[in-house]
Each structure stands twice: as structure tokens, then as C-alpha cells.
Amino acid sequence: MKRTEKPKTPLRLTGLSSLRSRYLAAMIVLTALLAGCALLLQHYITTVRGERATSIETRQQASQHSRLLREALLDVERALTSYYWAPSTERRRTVFQAVDRAQQRQQQLFASPWLHGSRHSAELAALGTEMQGLHSRLDRLMEAHRPGAPNPPGTAFDTLWQQLQKMDQTLESSATAEVSYLLRASNNVIGSVWLLALGTLAMMLIGFFLFQRYVLGPISLVARALRDEAHGKRDLVLPLPATTETQHLVEAFTEMRRQVADRQQALEHQAMHDALTGLPNRVLLQDRVQQAIHHLRRLGHGGLALLIMDLDGFKEINDTLGHPIGDGLLQQLADRLQREVRDSDTVARLGGDEFAVLLEHVDQAEAQHMAGRILHLLDNPFEVAGQSLYVSGSIGMALYPQHAHTPQELSRRADVAMYVAKREKNGVALYDPAQDHYTLQRLAQASDLRSAIGNDHLFLHFQPQIDLHTGRFSGVEALLRWQHPQLGYISPDDFIPVAEQTGLIRHLTYWVLDQSLAHVAAWRHRGLPLGSIAVNLSAYNLQDADLSLEVARLLKKWGVQPWRLALEITESSMMANPARALATLEKLNDIGVQIAIDDFGTGFSSLSYLKQLPVDKLKIDKSFVMQMNEDDNDAMIVRSTIDLAHNLGLEVVAEGVESEEALALLRILDCDAAQGYHISRPLSAAALEDWLESSEYCKGYEEAPEQDAPEPDLPTTH
Ligand code: C2E
Ligand code: CA
Ligand code: CA
């Protein structure tokens, strides 16, 4: 998949690379700018206001003084006029008093700050001189005056009036200048405010542009990439990050994209492969078979073979040595298989200890040759955790196009062949249509078995045991039988696993216990030798918390003393959940029933382990006993097992006693009890009754006295 590369020149993450810092910097600059402008404006307005306020005030003062001067001059003029009309010393003095007042006014006017630094100082000086000379001029005028002669006083004041008028004009023009100045100032302020507003607008536009460029743009690109990703498109080029935030966003997205892709790949791989061995799983195998068939169809010739291999003895390794060891073995086998086949062939794990090999472009002979080589892979032991482990295997083989035309059909047929190979213990089996009913029946067994309980198709056989010290009958083992109406006799080795897989085993075991104890009750009723009765338990029964309650209930129901019942368990059945199994055993032990370890020697547990279990008996597996007289090794095993078991205080039973020689050897080895075809084959209940009445082993048999047992309903015998 195409991935977006990391940017070649990584962004320097200092200074203003981050949006936040840029934003902060821009805000600081903008605020400073606005505050500066506002301050300047404020300063300008304050200055203008301050300046103009004093200017207006002083001008008002000046014009007031000018008005007062004018009034004073009018007074002078009026006093002079009245003197002209009727000159008198009195009036002359009045004139001078008025002149003095006018001069005071003039001085007040001249003291006005507005006139200081005035541009009209020359005119003012002239006015001052005129006013200074007014006193003497009027004096002269009044001296020279002849009563009745016309001498209009106005002429004496003409220059003064003119000068005052000029000053008024100056005041007026100054006021006009003031107004226009203020107008200009207000225009300046309005202009500045507009400028500020425009500046802010421009900044906002620039801000928006930058925001769009550095934030919104990259975000929408990433969003689009996400959307495209969701629709399976992955080649969108992500933006080169311009800021820290967008870089982080792009990095986070790129990382997420990588992780999603990795996870998707892992999921796809997981869906198609076996987690333990990494081999293709059933789904991928089917797919490969399908493709191979398509390919062959296009070619128009050639064939392929599907091999299915199932291990024998693997379950025991798993149960006794633990799953990690079993897993190690499977992994090694997967390696061996892969190294054995060609690159174009497919090795798959179908689950558990089942493997498949798809061979392309092979004929029957080549396929059979390959199957043989694969079986040879199991010849060498697997070294796991310091242990050498051996397993054997059975291979079923089906061919395209001879046996099947679809992948499903092909694998079903290979499966059928595999079961045949397993049953007939011949290693490799080629699919044979005549045997196809076998697996179908196997599947049908589960439901048939359910209905078989309670009708005559399921029943018990009993195999006698003898006490080797006395040479007399000591008890029987109950063995389950299934006479299928269509399929005939089915071995417990075949249907017990079905019962275990379907959970039927619990009900089945209860049924066997019930029937076994019922028969004991019947034999006692008929005065036959009784001894003990052994019943086989499956691993699943040891996980059943109710088992001891049921056993106690049935013992009571049939009035059988607990010591008469021996429950047989295998070593491996303890391993599934040892704590729980031990708890069950202890409860059974408390009831007083005997516990026997069955098939001893085939598992992996040690005698010291057994010491911790509440066990009474040990049954040496028939595989050692049967060849004991020919095989020194087997004899050694039997001998040491007997010795060690005795040391632990356990009773030893040998099963699979097929000859007098074996019986003799077991006596020499101090074995306690024996069971086998040489003594008797397993017998139906009716046959056993005959055997008990007639057998040499039962002559002079002395039954331990029964304690007051009730007389229950007795079952019919088969
Ligand atoms: P097992 O418990 O080891 O039972 C002994 C098996 O060895 C029986 O096979 C018996 O017929 C066979 N056998 C006895 N003497 C000889 C002999 O001298 N030579 C040879 N070659 N074989 C001998 P069977 O009846 O086919 O039972 C097979 C297995 O099925 C039993 O092995 C036991 O594991 C299981 N099984 C039988 N009945 C029950 C049952 O009621 N419940 C459970 N859970 N398992 C049962
Ligand atoms: Ca048994
Ligand atoms: Ca056995």
C-alpha cells in the first residue's frame, strides 16, 4: 500500500512555527498597533482641545476688554462733547477722568494674553501710542477750543476707532481660523478612525487568509483523506505541514493510517492463517484449492492431490505434558512439512493435530510417494523442552479430478480417507467411494447414541478378573457395547469419543453405573460369586461435580457396598483440570469406592505423582502384558511397575493376559490380579452367569458376608 511520506524537511519547531505562537504574536502586534493609534489620537485630541480652549478663552477676554475700551472711549467722547457745549473746569476734569479710565481699559486689553506674541504688534503699538497721546491731545484741543466753534470731537478719535476696528477684525479672523482649525482637527480624527477601521478590516482579512491557508485548508485535506481512506482510497497526498499543529495533525493521521493498514493486514493474515504455526488455515486452503482447480480447468489437463494428516497420540502428549509442549511439537511439525513440500504446494493446519497438504500438478503415484515421505517426517522424534516426543500419523488422500470436482468435496473425501487410514492403522489411505459411508455414519452416531441409551442397542459386557494369590475369581470389569441396528457392532473406542464430544458421556456413565450395580444386585440375589465390579470413567466425568453424589445414590439404590465398586480412570484424564479431578476423586474416596488407574504405562505420569492421588489399584496396560513373555523390555516395565506400586501400597492388576505363560510370569512377579482373554473374553450378562457357575476359577469361591442389603428391583439380563 502506498503511504504518505514524512515531509523531507522537517519543520523547525522553534519561534513562530506553531499556530498558537503566531496567533499570539499577531494579537500582540495588532493590539499594540491599535493601542498606539488610540493613544496618538487621544493625545492629538487632548492637545487640540487644550490649545483651542485657552486660545478661545483669551480671545474672549481680549474682545471683552476691547468692548470695555470702546465704551470707555465713548464716555471720553461724550464727556468731551459736553465740554464743547459748555466748557468748564469741572467738565474738563470729567474728560480727563474718562481718559484715565480708557487708558486703564487699554492697559487691561494690552495685558490680555491673546495679544502677546500677536502678529499685530505694530498696530497694537500704534494703538498704545495713540492712547498715550490722548490725554495731551485732548488737553490741547480743549485749550484751543472757542466756545461756539464747531469742533466735532469725532476727529480726535478717528485713528483710535480705526485701530480698534482693525483689532476686532483680527479677533474675528482669528475666531474663523479657530473654527477651521477645529474643523480640520475633527476631520483628522474622523479620518483616523476610518483608517483604524480599515486597518482592522484588512488585518482580519489577512488573518482569515492565513487561517484558511494554515488551518482550514490542511484540516479539510486531512478530512478528505480520512473520507477517502474510509472508501478504500489511500493515495491522497497529504499537505506539507506549514505549522506545528498541522504537522502534528498530518503526523497523527499518517501514523493512524499506518496503524490501520497494519492492523488490517494483521487481521487479514489472522483470518487466513493459523496463529500457532503461521500456516494457512482451512479458509485459505479452500481458496488455494479453488484457484488450483480453476487453473487446471483452463489448462485442460493435470491433477492435484489433497492430503489430510491427523496425528495419533498427540492428545496424550497435550493432556499429560501440557499445551505448551504440544504446541511446540505442532510448530516443529509445521516446519518439517513446509521444508518437505515444493514451494508451489500448500501446507495448512486445519485445527488441533490435523494438517493438510495440497499438491499441485501431481498424479496418483506422485501423491502417494509424497504421502509416504510426509509420514516419514514423523519417524524422528520431536525435541521439545528437553523431551523426545514421538507421534504417528494417518494420511487420507483424495485426487482431483478423479474423486471430486469442488474444494469442499475434495476435502471431505480426503477426510473420509483419513478416517479409513486411522481405523485400519495403515498410515496412508487413498479415497475409496466404497468407504464413504464411514464418516457420515460417524456424524450420525451422535444422535443415534442418544436414542440408543435406554433401548436394547446399548448393553454391558463383563470381563472377569482373578486374584493371583488365591487363583480365584475376584470381580469383573463392565465394558460398554453398542449394537447399532444398521451398522452392527460399534467399538467403544469409536463411540466413547463421540459421547465425550457431545457431552453425552455424563448421562452414559450414569447409565453404565446404574446397570453395573443393578447386575451386581441381581447376581447376589441369585447367590452367584460377586467380588468387585470395575466401571470405566472418562476424563469428562472427573470434571463432573455431581458424580460422587450420583455414585452414592446408585450404591444406595442397589444396596451395593462401596468397596465393591472400582472406578477406572486413566492418567491423562487427570490432566485436563487436575485440581477439579482431584476434588472429584477425593469425594469418591470418601464414599469408600475404589479408584484404579487404567492403562498404566501409556501415559506420562510418574508413580510419585500417583502417590498424591487417593488411588487403590493400578492396571498395567495390556500393551506391556501381551508381549511380556517375548519382549524383555516389556517384562522389565511390568516388573518394576509391580514393585513400585507395591511400595506405594497399591494393588496391581495386569490386563491383556492372553496366555498361561503370561499368567505364570505375573504370579512370579507377585502381581495381585489378572484380566485377559486367557481367563475370559468379555461376556454378556447371561454368559457371565454361566461362567460364574461353571468356571474353575469360581470353584470353592467364598463370598465375603453381605451386610443387610435391601432387595431391589432386578434388571433383565442380556
Ligand atoms: P479398557 O478399559 O482398557 O478395557 C479393556 C479393553 O481391553 C477392552 O476392550 C477389552 O475387551 C480388551 N481386552 C481384555 N482382555 C484382553 C486381552 O487379553 N487381549 C486384548 N487384545 N484385549 C483385551 P473394549 O471392550 O473394546 O474397550 C475398549 C475401551 O473402551 C476400554 O479400554 C475403555 O477405555 C473404553 N470403555 C469401554 N467401556 C466403557 C465405559 O463404560 N465407559 C467408558 N468411559 N469407557 C469405556
Ligand atoms: Ca478399563
Ligand atoms: Ca485398560
Side-chain angles (χ1 to χ4, degrees), residues 477 479 536 568 598-599 619 655:
E477 176 177 14
L479 294 163
N536 292 285
E568 298 193 358
D598 204 354
D599 302 345
K619 288 183 85 171
E655 64 176 16

Side-chain angles (χ1 to χ4, degrees), residues 460-461 463 477-481 489 491-496 500 505 508-509 512 535-539 541 568 570 598-599 619 621-622 626 655-659 675-678 680-682:
L460 294 179
H461 273 187
Q463 188 174 31
E477 176 177 14
L479 294 163
L480 194 52
R481 296 289 175 259
Y489 174 75
S491 159
D493 284 327
D494 284 337
F495 71 80
I496 293 290
E500 286 175 339
I505 189 70
L508 198 61
T509 303
V512 172
V535 170
N536 292 285
L537 293 186
S538 135
N541 297 127
E568 298 193 358
T570 59
D598 204 354
D599 302 345
K619 288 183 85 171
D621 189 63
K622 54 180 176 286
M626 273 155 33
E655 64 176 16
V657 180
E658 298 196 54
S659 63
Q675 171 184 350
Y677 291 172
H678 178 67
S680 167
R681 291 200 166 243

Side-chain angles (χ1 to χ4, degrees), residues 465-485:
Q465 285 176 6
I466 57 164
D467 182 330
L468 287 174
H469 303 299
T470 61
R472 303 263 169 254
F473 164 79
S474 63
V476 292
E477 176 177 14
L479 294 163
L480 194 52
R481 296 289 175 259
W482 184 10
Q483 189 67 38
H484 194 283

Side-chain angles (χ1 to χ4, degrees), residues 341-650:
V341 302
R342 301 167 300 178
D343 283 349
S344 55
D345 298 331
T346 301
V347 178
R349 181 173 172 226
L350 304 179
D353 55 358
E354 213 173 76
F355 290 84
V357 179
L358 171 67
L359 303 171
E360 298 190 39
H361 303 289
V362 288
D363 57 24
Q364 183 177 328
E366 287 164 332
Q368 248 156 347
H369 174 71
M370 194 62 200
R373 273 171 51 188
I374 288 174
L375 268 191
H376 272 308
L377 293 177
L378 303 176
D379 290 350
N380 294 324
F382 294 87
E383 304 291 339
V384 188
Q387 315 208 37
S388 297
L389 306 171
Y390 284 93
V391 283
S392 54
S394 307
I395 296 182
M397 202 162 56
L399 305 173
Y400 170 88
Q402 294 92 316
H403 299 143
H405 291 93
T406 66
Q408 292 76 14
E409 226 179 12
L410 194 67
S411 65
R412 212 186 60 72
R413 307 247 136 124
D415 228 28
V416 168
M418 193 272 288
Y419 278 115
V420 171
K422 228 180 182 20
R423 194 180 40 171
E424 294 177 356
K425 302 197 193 312
N426 53 0
V428 180
L430 184 67
Y431 172 72
D432 174 2
Q435 288 171 311
D436 202 350
H437 64 280
Y438 180 70
T439 38
L440 289 176
Q441 285 157 5
R442 202 180 147 81
L443 291 174
Q445 272 182 16
S447 60
D448 288 356
L449 189 57
R450 214 178 294 271
S451 51
I453 306 175
N455 63 34
D456 288 348
H457 303 149
L458 264 188
F459 50 91
L460 294 179
H461 273 187
F462 303 93
Q463 188 174 31
Q465 285 176 6
I466 57 164
D467 182 330
L468 287 174
H469 303 299
T470 61
R472 303 263 169 254
F473 164 79
S474 63
V476 292
E477 176 177 14
L479 294 163
L480 194 52
R481 296 289 175 259
W482 184 10
Q483 189 67 38
H484 194 283
Q486 284 88 42
L487 303 173
Y489 174 75
I490 300 176
S491 159
D493 284 327
D494 284 337
F495 71 80
I496 293 290
V498 176
E500 286 175 339
Q501 279 158 25
T502 52
L504 215 61
I505 189 70
R506 180 180 138 111
H507 187 46
L508 198 61
T509 303
Y510 288 177
W511 184 84
V512 172
L513 281 165
D514 186 51
Q515 288 294 300
S516 300
L517 297 176
H519 279 106
V520 172
W523 298 326
R524 188 187 54 209
H525 178 65
R526 298 181 56 174
L528 292 168
L530 283 179
S532 64
I533 182 152
V535 170
N536 292 285
L537 293 186
S538 135
Y540 294 79
N541 297 127
L542 293 183
Q543 307 303 321
D544 179 4
D546 297 336
L547 179 71
S548 55
L549 291 176
E550 184 66 12
V551 167
R553 187 183 74 80
L554 292 173
L555 285 168
K556 195 156 175 252
K557 174 181 172 190
W558 296 110
V560 177
Q561 289 167 313
W563 63 265
R564 287 198 186 275
L565 180 63
L567 296 174
E568 298 193 358
I569 59 166
T570 59
E571 298 157 274
S572 54
S573 67
M574 286 296 295
M575 298 302 166
N577 184 344
R580 202 146 159 199
L582 184 61
T584 309
L585 282 194
E586 256 148 12
K587 279 193 266 179
L588 290 170
N589 190 49
D590 289 346
I591 294 173
V593 301
Q594 299 191 58
I595 313 273
I597 299 289
D598 204 354
D599 302 345
F600 187 79
T602 55
F604 294 85
S605 56
S606 61
L607 279 168
S608 61
Y609 170 69
L610 291 182
K611 205 159 64 172
Q612 299 161 28
L613 304 178
V615 173
D616 308 279
K617 284 189 202 178
L618 223 158
K619 288 183 85 171
I620 307 178
D621 189 63
K622 54 180 176 286
S623 60
F624 303 106
V625 179
M626 273 155 33
Q627 265 110 53
M628 188 175 58
N629 293 86
E630 290 84 42
D631 191 333
D632 291 346
N633 224 4
D634 283 354
M636 264 291 294
I637 292 173
V638 172
R639 176 195 210 119
S640 54
T641 305
I642 292 171
D643 289 348
L644 286 166
H646 282 167
N647 282 340
L648 292 172
L650 301 178

